[in-house]
Amino acid sequence: EYKFSESGLYYCPKAETQEEFLEYLKGLPLSPGPEVFGMHDNCDITCAQGETTQILNAILAMSSKTSAGAGRSPEEVMDE
């Protein structure tokens, strides 16, 4: 029986009915790791770092900018 991944989790089951295939599919992880795509486990780390960078850049883009004018600070606006 050929395994599609090193862990042996992904393989073609010896199922003959639709129910048997569905039972195998229900046993697979809901959030597959990189191994299902033939990638190294470190791919998860790289992906998480990229997502973190995007989130932080979005937060910084939404934050108020400092100005030289007589505008109110965020604390002053919240106090109202």
Side-chain angles (χ1 to χ4, degrees), residues 22-38:
L22 290 175
E23 193 62 34
Y24 166 73
L25 293 175
K26 288 178 184 176
L28 294 176
L30 292 177
S31 179
E35 79 166 323
V36 73
F37 304 107

Side-chain angles (χ1 to χ4, degrees), residues 11-66:
Y11 61 92
C12 184
K14 294 181 180 180
E16 296 182 5
T17 66
Q18 181 180 7
E19 289 79 22
E20 291 173 339
F21 276 110
L22 290 175
E23 193 62 34
Y24 166 73
L25 293 175
K26 288 178 184 176
L28 294 176
L30 292 177
S31 179
E35 79 166 323
V36 73
F37 304 107
M39 298 179 176
H40 193 271
D41 287 340
N42 286 347
C43 186
D44 269 343
I45 297 170
T46 304
C47 182
Q49 286 175 335
E51 288 176 349
T52 301
T53 301
Q54 288 178 346
I55 290 170
L56 291 175
N57 286 337
I59 291 170
L60 290 174
M62 290 186 289
S63 68
S64 63
K65 307 289 188 245
T66 59

